[in-house]
Amino acid sequence: MGSGNAIRGSRVGAGPMGEAERGEAAPRVRVPFWCANMHETRPSFASDAAVPEFWDCPRCGLPAGQDQNNPPAPPRNEPYKTHLAYVKERRSDKDGAAILAEALERLRTSPRTIY
Ligand SMILES: [Zn+2]
């Protein structure tokens, strides 16, 4: 990537920016990205380079996107989800046991119990 810029810079005499890019690499643009934690990072890219859709947030490592209002979801989503599902499962088991105990209690104490 860098060598491409160097070659381009050495042979371009007068670009649209005139003296600013004389003998230098292509002009760079700063593109803001936001991660799910609302960290803003503004990496710079060569103006003619393809800007990636996502950028790793230097602060928390989450992927950052160019849409501030809709940052990409954290990749840890999967294991987190699995953990959550695991917790949920355990909790529902507990709830199920509690509900069962409650139902048995009701059966025992209810005068209309039919065994
Ligand atoms: Zn971040």
Side-chain angles (χ1 to χ4, degrees):
M1 231 201 227
S3 62
N5 287 341
I7 290 164
R8 175 186 294 269
S10 66
R11 83 177 148 86
V12 169
M17 300 296 280
E19 69 284 338
E21 67 173 325
R22 188 162 59 112
E24 255 304 320
R28 302 181 78 80
V29 291
R30 287 194 170 272
V31 180
F33 288 84
W34 290 270
C35 75
N37 291 326
M38 285 296 120
H39 297 142
E40 182 182 350
T41 182
R42 294 161 68 89
S44 66
F45 300 92
S47 63
D48 60 347
V51 176
E53 192 179 355
F54 301 116
W55 190 259
D56 284 343
C57 173
R59 282 199 244 178
C60 66
L62 293 183
Q66 293 180 55
D67 185 352
Q68 183 176 13
N69 295 317
N70 190 22
R76 283 167 226 160
N77 218 4
E78 282 311 313
Y80 183 68
K81 229 186 236 167
T82 305
H83 176 68
L84 200 69
Y86 177 66
V87 170
K88 234 186 204 169
E89 206 175 307
R90 283 180 56 190
R91 193 195 290 157
S92 66
D93 277 347
K94 228 181 190 179
D95 287 351
I99 288 164
L100 186 67
E102 203 185 347
L104 287 173
E105 186 74 16
R106 206 171 290 155
L107 280 175
R108 278 201 299 150
T109 57
S110 169
R112 302 182 295 148
T113 297
I114 301 160
Y115 284 104

